[in-house]
Amino acid sequence: MTEPYDKYLETALLNRNQINEALSFINDVFSEPDYNIADRVTLDDIQFTYHFLTNKHYVEKSEEETIVIKKYRRLTQIIFDFYYPKPTGSKFYHYTKLSALNGILKNELKLKPLITNENFDEFKTFYKDHNLIGYSINTDESGKLMEQVLMEQCFAICFASPIGLTAEKEKTLWYSFADNGGGIRIEFDIKSNHPDFRKIFYHKTDFDKSKLLLNRLNKDTQERFDRIFTVAGLSKIGAFYLPGYYDIENEVRFLIKKFTDDYEFCFDDSKGFITLPFDSDFANISIKKIKVGKTCSLENVKRILAENDYGSFDSLEIGE
């Protein structure tokens, strides 16, 4: 009996005899006080494969009659929602240099690849905390590390939630992103059901990594079934996970991934970024107020507004 057949038989037996046990174990973990997740998965959501306990897949035919393998997303969605809840309310702040205002007043936002934030621990913290070393050592066909590839494929714009935003945190945001008061704070109204508009998870230095939900599920999965617990779409989960010392930013991130089954977006990143119109299938966005930094020229702001037909826009605030 060959090894692949042994693995096939073992997997078939797991799916026949122990899938109910796996289902109960996952839902029991969800209900533990550390997580307190109300949602539950069903047998339609999970399966064993040669190496994993993961999302169940199904086969679908495209319009060209090509067979496409897709995955049920409920397991992923529950875990994603736990780590990164959707933001509440519709008011969000964006701190930026005055030079960015011209582009924003064209009623579109510029989303940059997260590779530009490489020095700010994008992705790395998540993979390290969850012992996912493959992304830092495996490469794609061109020889690029997968970690780098993923950062190049995830485009984002960052906002600050006003909920819990203290005066001390605001000082840091003005300093770091708005030219130390020489820039502006734009208050946006954002109404969106985009699945990748999420609050950031901040890893605290004294946090017990074994209690992270994915680590907890993986530990028991390996002990019980000799499989690794994973979910579809795991790669982009790292895009919303940062070290705890960044929590002063109170960040909410709007992210669009270049290759994903969750949505379609017409990509043109030839200039090194993509643009998101204020009015799109992804969100309805509008500018509500502009706050002018303490060393920013109010006259320059008014001039830029007038040049972009925002001359009657009178929701300007002065001072930091």
Side-chain angles (χ1 to χ4, degrees):
M1 187 180 296
T2 63
E3 183 179 347
Y5 183 78
D6 286 346
K7 202 71 174 178
Y8 171 83
L9 181 59
E10 178 186 287
T11 302
L13 289 172
L14 281 171
N15 279 313
R16 187 178 71 185
N17 299 330
Q18 291 184 271
I19 194 67
N20 281 295
E21 179 186 346
L23 178 70
S24 296
F25 138 68
I26 292 171
N27 285 329
D28 285 348
V29 171
F30 286 171
S31 67
E32 290 177 2
D34 283 334
Y35 315 109
N36 197 27
I37 299 171
D39 289 330
R40 297 290 181 265
V41 289
T42 71
L43 290 177
D44 289 332
D45 300 310
I46 62 170
Q47 68 175 353
F48 288 104
T49 66
Y50 277 16
H51 303 290
F52 304 110
L53 173 59
T54 186
N55 300 68
K56 196 170 186 177
H57 70 261
Y58 61 97
V59 175
E60 188 178 89
K61 284 189 176 181
S62 67
E63 293 180 0
E64 295 80 17
E65 293 298 307
T66 303
I67 291 178
V68 179
I69 295 177
K70 294 193 173 183
K71 296 181 179 180
Y72 292 100
R73 308 296 292 186
R74 184 166 176 75
L75 177 63
T76 297
Q77 199 63 48
I78 292 172
I79 290 175
F80 204 59
D81 287 345
F82 174 76
Y83 273 83
Y84 316 114
K86 293 182 179 180
T88 56
S90 63
K91 183 168 75 171
F92 301 96
Y93 295 151
H94 183 65
Y95 297 79
T96 188
K97 295 180 178 179
L98 183 58
S99 57
L101 184 57
N102 265 311
I104 293 172
L105 293 177
K106 291 179 173 61
N107 291 332
E108 60 185 25
L109 298 177
K110 183 187 294 184
L111 279 65
K112 297 180 180 179
L114 290 179
I115 191 70
T116 59
N117 293 344
E118 186 173 0
N119 292 330
F120 301 113
D121 301 301
E122 307 291 343
F123 285 87
K124 292 178 173 62
T125 308
F126 178 83
Y127 297 144
K128 181 179 178 182
D129 283 357
H130 293 86
N131 198 32
L132 299 170
I133 61 173
Y135 292 98
S136 61
I137 60 175
N138 294 330
T139 61
D140 70 357
E141 296 165 350
S142 68
K144 283 185 181 179
L145 286 174
M146 290 307 301
E147 185 177 72
Q148 179 181 345
V149 172
L150 289 168
M151 285 191 286
E152 290 174 348
Q153 294 175 353
C154 290
F155 292 72
I157 184 168
C158 304
F159 304 94
S161 170
I163 300 172
L165 188 63
T166 63
E168 194 63 33
K169 288 181 177 180
E170 278 229 77
K171 284 182 182 179
T172 301
L173 291 168
W174 278 107
Y175 176 81
S176 300
F177 301 106
D179 201 18
N180 194 22
I184 54 176
R185 186 193 77 186
I186 303 176
E187 179 185 318
F188 287 102
D189 182 81
I190 303 176
K191 296 180 176 65
S192 175
N193 289 317
H194 179 50
D196 292 342
F197 184 35
R198 300 278 174 168
K199 295 169 66 175
I200 292 292
F201 179 100
Y202 295 106
H203 163 96
K204 305 297 183 181
T205 54
D206 58 349
F207 193 81
D208 183 355
K209 289 187 288 187
S210 69
K211 290 187 176 181
L212 287 165
L213 178 58
L214 283 169
N215 288 345
R216 169 76 175 83
L217 289 166
N218 187 46
K219 178 178 180 294
D220 276 24
T221 297
Q222 293 197 46
E223 290 176 353
R224 294 185 185 209
F225 311 111
D226 192 28
R227 291 293 188 275
I228 297 169
F229 183 90
T230 189
V231 295
L234 183 64
S235 60
K236 73 177 178 183
I237 294 182
F240 295 89
Y241 190 103
L242 289 174
Y245 48 81
Y246 288 112
D247 68 353
I248 55 173
E249 297 175 4
N250 235 42
E251 186 179 342
V252 174
R253 186 168 285 183
F254 199 108
L255 182 140
I256 294 178
K257 193 169 184 291
K258 194 167 188 177
F259 303 107
T260 178
D261 294 331
D262 293 338
Y263 45 82
E264 293 183 2
F265 186 85
C266 184
F267 258 85
D268 178 7
D269 56 346
S270 57
K271 295 180 180 179
F273 59 86
I274 62 173
T275 54
L276 177 70
F278 278 14
D279 188 12
S280 72
D281 291 338
F282 291 80
N284 291 312
I285 303 168
S286 60
I287 297 174
K288 291 300 181 186
K289 293 180 182 178
I290 297 176
K291 188 168 186 176
V292 181
K294 63 180 181 181
T295 60
C296 181
S297 166
L298 176 61
E299 292 308 311
N300 282 342
V301 174
K302 288 181 176 179
R303 174 181 54 78
I304 294 171
L305 290 170
E307 290 173 352
N308 288 274
D309 294 324
Y310 273 77
S312 61
F313 189 85
D314 57 1
S315 294
L316 289 172
E317 295 181 18
I318 311 297
E320 191 173 325

